[in-house]
Amino acid sequence: MLKDCLSDILLYIKEESWKRGKPDGIVLISNGLLMNMDYLKLFRYCNVHLSMSLPGFETFEEHTGVDNAEGVLRWFQIAHSLGMDTTLNVTVTKKNYHELFETLSLGLLNGASLVLINRFLPGGRGLKYLQELSLDGEELNGMLETTEEVLTLSNRYGQTGTEISLCAIKSPMKYKRISFGTKCAAAKDFFVIDPAGQIRTCNHSPRIVGNIFNDEIITDKAYWEIFANSNYHPSICAKCKSISTCDCGCREVANILHGSLNAIDTSINLLNPFL
Ligand code: SF4
Ligand code: SF4
C-alpha cells in the first residue's frame, strides 16, 4: 500500500538535504501500479531516481497477480521523455528465466537507463514457491551472461542487487558491463526503517532489532552486531581463500531457510574445492 504522505516525505528529504548541504538523491522502487504524471513530475523535482520492477513480460501477471507489464514499460517511456534516469529492476526466477533477454531488452528499449538484476530470494510469501522459483547454479550463471550480453548490445551498465557467493560465479572476471556484490551491506552501509519506525538490518530481514522512537534505538544488539561485525560466515567456508571478499551469499536467506545466520545460502557452490 502506498502511504498518502509520500510527497511530504520526498519534499522533506529534499528540503533537509538542501539545508544540510547534502546531495538530495533518493532511489524509489515501485511496481508501477499506482504511477501517475503527478508523481513522475514530483520525482523529477525531488531528484528521485525511479527503479521499476519488471519480473518478466509474458510472465509478469503470473509473478505479480496483475497484468501490468505494458503499464510499467509505458512509465519507463514517459520518464525517459521527461529526461529522468531510471532503473529496470528484474528479479529472475525459474519461471521468467527463459524470457530474460526479451525482458531486459524491452525495458531498455522503452527508456530505462540502468539494470538491477536479482536472483529470486526465498522469504515471505515466496517461501511457498521455493522449488518453483529458485534458480540453480547453471541458471544463476546464465542470468549473469544474458544480462552482460544485453548490456553490451545496448551499451548500458547494470549491477546485481542481492549478494551472490563468489564461488557460484563461474568466471567473475569476464563481466565488463555488470558489477556484482559479494559482501553483505546490512547494518554497515544501510539499514531499514519501516513506517512505524521499526528497524531491521536489511529489507530482506524479517527480524525487528529496534525502533527509532525508542531512547535506545537498537534493542536487539546481539543480532545487529552479527551483521555490523560480519560475524556470520558458515564454518564450511573457513578455509576459503576468498573469505575476506565474500560473505557467502545472503545471510538472511541462510537464516530463513536453515534457522541460522551461519548456515549456507542457496548460491554457495558445494563443489567448491575449498569447502
Ligand atoms: S566457499 Fe564460502 S567464502 Fe569461499 S567463495 Fe564460496 S561462499 Fe564465498
Ligand atoms: S542480508 Fe542479504 S539481501 Fe540484505 S544486504 Fe545482506 S546479503 Fe544483501
Side-chain angles (χ1 to χ4, degrees):
M1 191 190 297
L2 187 62
K3 272 187 90 70
D4 52 9
C5 60
L6 175 66
S7 44
D8 296 338
I9 294 171
L10 295 178
L11 290 166
Y12 179 80
I13 295 172
K14 182 176 172 64
E15 192 182 320
E16 287 299 311
S17 306
W18 184 79
K19 277 191 211 157
R20 294 162 198 235
K22 303 269 186 202
D24 61 352
I26 302 165
V27 176
L28 190 143
I29 301 175
S30 167
N31 61 11
L33 208 54
L34 298 181
M35 196 62 65
N36 60 40
M37 278 310 286
D38 290 342
Y39 275 135
L40 274 192
K41 286 178 185 163
L42 175 72
F43 296 163
R44 188 175 58 168
Y45 174 72
C46 293
N47 197 21
V48 168
H49 182 99
L50 179 62
S51 179
M52 276 188 291
S53 311
L54 188 69
F57 183 75
E58 259 177 37
T59 57
F60 188 98
E61 187 172 1
E62 195 178 354
H63 284 93
T64 63
V66 286
D67 178 13
N68 192 38
E70 302 268 7
V72 170
L73 294 175
R74 187 171 141 262
W75 288 118
F76 273 123
Q77 281 176 23
I78 297 174
H80 181 66
S81 71
L82 293 174
M84 295 169 63
D85 281 335
T86 50
T87 292
L88 169 68
N89 188 343
V90 180
T91 296
V92 185
T93 71
K94 223 177 219 353
K95 283 185 185 286
N96 64 19
Y97 178 75
H98 69 280
E99 57 163 342
L100 181 58
F101 187 98
E102 290 78 8
T103 304
L104 293 170
S105 304
L106 277 169
L108 292 170
L109 286 168
N110 279 278
S113 334
L114 298 163
V115 165
L116 179 73
I117 196 105
N118 271 301
R119 61 187 165 113
F120 165 72
L121 270 200
R125 285 190 299 158
L127 266 180
K128 268 184 14 200
Y129 308 99
L130 183 64
Q131 300 305 330
E132 283 169 76
L133 299 180
S134 294
L135 301 180
D136 63 26
E138 286 302 315
E139 290 162 339
L140 185 73
N141 281 278
M143 171 188 97
L144 296 175
E145 283 163 17
T146 301
T147 307
E148 177 80 4
E149 184 184 356
V150 174
L151 291 172
T152 305
L153 288 169
S154 57
N155 196 21
R156 308 281 176 84
Y157 289 89
Q159 64 185 79
T160 57
T162 301
E163 293 69 10
I164 301 173
S165 304
L166 201 50
C167 55
I169 306 169
K170 283 183 186 162
S171 311
M173 302 306 285
K174 78 174 180 188
Y175 295 99
K176 307 291 179 234
R177 294 274 166 179
I178 183 164
S179 55
F180 34 77
T182 53
K183 298 279 286 178
C184 171
K188 291 176 282 283
D189 296 336
F190 80 103
F191 58 91
V192 172
I193 307 170
D194 73 14
Q198 300 182 123
I199 296 174
R200 289 174 291 135
T201 50
C202 167
N203 48 307
H204 202 65
S205 173
R207 184 140 166 170
I208 308 296
V209 296
N211 192 304
I212 53 163
F213 299 115
N214 292 344
D215 288 342
E216 190 141 23
I217 291 178
I218 302 296
T219 40
D220 190 346
K221 288 201 172 65
Y223 198 82
W224 175 271
E225 280 172 11
I226 290 173
F227 278 88
N229 299 322
S230 306
N231 189 16
Y232 41 34
H233 293 87
S235 56
I236 55 168
C237 296
K239 292 190 193 141
C240 179
K241 63 181 180 186
S242 302
I243 200 157
S244 61
T245 52
C246 175
D247 282 341
C248 318
C250 176
R251 298 293 81 223
E252 280 295 355
V253 163
N255 200 12
I256 288 166
L257 290 181
H258 306 294
S260 163
L261 289 169
N262 301 87
I264 61 167
D265 140 285
T266 50
S267 74
I268 293 182
N269 179 2
L270 293 170
L271 300 176
N272 185 322
F274 294 99
L275 289 177

